[in-house]
Amino acid sequence: MILRKKFIAGNWKMNKTPADGAALVSEIVTEIGRQTDVDVLVCPPFTALESAGRNLEGSNVKLGAQNMHFELNGAFTGEVSAPMLRDLFVTHVILGHSERRALFGETDAMINQKVLTAIKNQLRPILCVGETLSEREAGDTLKVVQTQVEAGLEGVGKDQAPSVIIAYEPVWAIGTGKVATSDQAQEVHAFIRGLLTKLFGETIAQKVRILYGGSMKPSNAPELLAQKDIDGGLIGGASLESRSFVDLVKAAADAK
Ligand code: PGA
């Protein structure tokens, strides 16, 4: 059996100034900057990447962005490119978050272009997928997730697939305090693992980390992280404060 290292990623969304972000990172690094049991990532807003990155230096905590454009440069007012992120020592990028899909009109086709650009530029994509409440109630959860995974990964080669991370985030659980039950989450994670097996084969599918996101916090993390196909968490609200974020990293270390 392949042991996948657990992965805890903080998605700060549109929160934290450069100074606040640097301070939060310092607290996180002091507590868990040296541990190697869990892969840890923080994703500040663009404006705090540089200050947060400076305070991560020399630690094992990595730096991620929350979005990027699929072109490398040019007339795209308000956008940021993969080389710009790489220049700030960013290693990962969240793509296709449900807030980007719902509020900013991102389509599967655009997200796919971003995934391919990220990989080509040595950024590891965290591809977010997940159903809305009405889709779940209509019994469409697996169909929606299948479309998002297959469309998002179109054109990704077998050799590139292990660098991809998937985040399953049921939209109804994001920022609502309503966490998916561990059974609900495991069912979808196992389904995604099956899709990856069809796309890339068993060996590669067993290597890809699938994170859960949606109201994950220290109190509910142990049960979620104990599931066979839940390899970590993409954390919103609970990543904005060092205590809860550090406790989530510790929960992941214990779940290993
Ligand atoms: P939440 O957000 O933990 O605040 O629910 C998760 C996410 O949107 O990535």
Side-chain angles (χ1 to χ4, degrees), residues 9-13 94 97-99 128 167 169-171 173-178 212-217 233-240 248:
N11 174 11
W12 296 2
K13 308 194 179 183
I94 298 171
H97 189 280
S98 64
E99 287 150 17
C128 300
E169 301 203 301
V171 178
I174 294 178
T176 59
K178 262 190 240 158
Y212 169 81
S215 299
M216 200 193 241
K217 45 184 187 281
L234 180 53
I235 319 294
S239 73
L240 295 176
L248 281 159

Side-chain angles (χ1 to χ4, degrees), residues 112-145:
N112 176 239
Q113 281 184 274
K114 294 181 181 202
V115 167
L116 296 175
T117 297
I119 293 172
K120 240 188 251 161
N121 289 274
Q122 290 84 45
L123 285 170
R124 297 188 67 167
I126 302 177
L127 171 64
C128 300
V129 300
E131 81 288 1
T132 62
L133 184 58
S134 59
E135 287 164 343
R136 175 162 280 267
E137 285 173 348
D140 289 340
T141 297
L142 300 183
K143 197 175 84 191
V144 168
V145 167

